[in-house]
Each structure stands twice: as structure tokens, then as C-alpha cells.
Amino acid sequence: MKNFEKNDNGFVCAVCGENVNPLKYSSRDHCVKCLCSLHVDIFPGDRANDCGGVLVPIDVEPNSKKGYVIVYKCRKCGKLHNNKSAEDDKFSTILKVMNKTYDVKNYEKE
């Protein structure tokens, strides 16, 4: 069974409305501005999960091999999910998550 499928499409963030470009070196799966994602993968890039809930970052863990790993919690089903940060993620947002000052409500479009 394949555990990774490259699916590097750009998208408009469902949370903040940011236009997110393709990553070009892996599968793009979260917003560079608010770091939110959609719970659409079972394995990275497969888009096979029916949940579709919003994944909100709740923690960031530094990893010596992977860089920063974002810990997500799905607003719909409650599942936890980890993902590497991307090189173009807004570092100030990563710091807010790490420092526990992140509030997704500050990013939600009206």
C-alpha cells in the first residue's frame, strides 16, 4: 500500500481566504498564513478522507530531521494529525502556535 501520493495543487484557504501556491517539492496541504488545513487525506496527498473538517494547529514541535512539525486537531472529528511545516509558512504564525498565543478566530475570513 502506498503511503504518499504527490498532490501539489494550489488552493484558496477555507479559513482565511489566502491564495496558496503549490509547494513544488512535496504535497501542499496547509495554508502558509494561518497554517490551517482540511482533513482530506488518509495518507499524505491521497485526498481519500471523507471527513473534510478544518484542521487547526494546536502545537508545533521542533524536530532535528524534519524542521517544525505542526500538530493539528480536526474541528469536526477531533482526530490529531501531524505534518511538517513548509519552507514558506509564515514563521510568526508558527511562533504563535508554539507560544500558545495562536487563535484561529484571528484568521477567519468574515
Side-chain angles (χ1 to χ4, degrees):
M1 176 178 261
K2 224 163 59 160
N3 289 339
F4 179 82
E5 184 176 321
K6 188 165 183 187
N7 192 332
D8 190 27
N9 298 314
F11 59 90
V12 175
C13 178
V15 174
C16 72
E18 181 80 4
N19 186 24
V20 181
N21 294 319
L23 193 54
K24 297 185 181 168
Y25 64 87
S26 187
S27 289
R28 171 70 77 188
D29 79 336
H30 65 270
C31 177
V32 298
K33 180 181 174 187
C34 71
L35 303 181
C36 289
S37 185
L38 293 180
H39 197 185
V40 295
D41 291 345
I42 294 173
F43 295 107
D46 68 8
R47 307 305 190 251
N49 194 323
D50 292 336
C51 176
V54 174
L55 292 166
V56 176
I58 59 168
D59 200 7
V60 174
E61 301 169 348
N63 181 295
S64 61
K65 294 181 181 177
K66 296 180 179 182
Y68 294 102
V69 176
I70 304 167
V71 180
Y72 290 99
K73 185 172 184 178
C74 181
R75 281 181 159 178
K76 185 174 178 182
C77 73
K79 183 172 178 165
L80 296 177
H81 172 75
N82 293 346
N83 189 34
K84 291 189 314 185
S85 65
E87 61 187 24
D88 58 348
D89 286 345
K90 194 169 179 182
F91 193 66
S92 61
T93 307
I94 290 173
L95 288 176
K96 285 178 184 179
V97 176
M98 289 177 81
N99 294 327
K100 308 297 185 207
T101 59
Y102 177 90
D103 186 350
V104 71
K105 292 176 186 159
N106 293 332
Y107 294 92
E108 292 175 330
K109 59 185 175 189
E110 296 179 5

